Amino acid sequence: MIKSYTLLLCESSSCSIKPVISGVPQGTVLGPLLFLAYINDLPLAASSSVRLFADDCLLYRRIKTTQDTNIFQSDLNNLQKWEARCQMMFNTDKCEVLCITLNKKNVICADYTIHCQPLSLISSAKYLGVTTDSKLTFNEHINDVTHKANSTRAFVARNTQKCHKINSL
């Protein structure tokens, strides 16, 4: 595994080599591609489903029994081993648990931890721009989109109110 990089910086006709100790240099064209290549093996560390998009990671599993909750926590532990091996760190302040169920009876929801810090249980979460709640109603998402559209409409109305009307031919 590569633990350090060398970055070649070129300006006009002069170039200089600078060591990059860790991470991916921000603002480079290849930065996102290098980051994705670096974390590409993360899904192999868990038996639960893993989805990666840019720097977001989503881990999910269907929980039918308490054994499934143990497997899910084990996957979280395996991801912590992965991050230590790859010299990365999950931001536990941004890690949350969303239990999605339409069944009001027999809900199995457990307490999960990362770095011995309990993850907060939330009623809705935003992922890839879509707000999902624990009952898959999307009401919060629809309200957010409607609010943004109304704000934009009001902005346009306020700023075009005093514009001269152009007569159409």
Side-chain angles (χ1 to χ4, degrees):
M1 174 188 308
I2 300 171
K3 295 192 179 188
S4 64
Y5 301 91
T6 301
L7 179 64
L8 181 64
L9 299 173
C10 294
E11 292 181 23
S12 301
S13 61
S14 64
C15 292
S16 61
I17 295 175
K18 301 287 182 188
V20 178
I21 306 303
S22 67
V24 175
Q26 287 194 329
T28 63
V29 175
L30 290 177
L33 180 62
L34 289 173
F35 179 76
L36 289 173
Y38 192 73
I39 66 165
N40 195 41
D41 66 333
L42 183 143
L44 301 176
S47 62
S48 298
S49 299
V50 178
R51 296 291 175 260
L52 301 173
F53 183 79
D55 63 348
D56 286 340
C57 176
L58 177 71
L59 178 70
Y60 62 96
R61 177 179 203 84
R62 188 170 190 178
I63 306 292
K64 295 181 182 178
T65 65
T66 54
Q67 183 180 359
D68 290 329
T69 63
N70 294 335
I71 294 170
F72 194 75
Q73 181 60 56
S74 176
D75 285 341
L76 289 172
N77 296 340
N78 289 337
L79 290 178
Q80 292 171 74
K81 291 174 188 172
W82 176 90
E83 71 175 347
R85 187 176 67 249
C86 293
Q87 298 181 346
M88 295 190 72
M89 188 87 163
F90 292 117
N91 185 348
T92 53
D93 294 335
K94 293 185 177 183
C95 295
E96 302 166 321
V97 176
L98 175 64
C99 292
I100 299 174
T101 182
L102 299 177
N103 184 2
K104 293 181 183 179
K105 298 177 184 177
N106 303 326
V107 176
I108 301 172
C109 212
D111 295 325
Y112 300 104
T113 61
I114 294 181
H115 305 300
C116 299
Q117 181 178 337
L119 301 179
S120 57
L121 180 65
I122 56 173
S123 59
S124 65
K126 193 170 192 174
Y127 182 68
L128 300 181
V130 178
T131 304
T132 307
D133 66 16
S134 60
K135 295 179 182 147
L136 291 178
T137 63
F138 297 98
N139 290 340
E140 189 176 340
H141 179 74
I142 293 167
N143 290 340
D144 289 345
V145 171
T146 304
H147 177 74
K148 285 180 186 176
N150 283 330
S151 295
T152 302
R153 181 201 51 80
F155 173 80
V156 170
R158 274 193 317 273
N159 289 295
T160 59
Q161 202 171 26
K162 296 180 181 178
C163 290
H164 298 290
K165 292 184 180 179
I166 299 174
N167 294 330
S168 59
L169 298 175

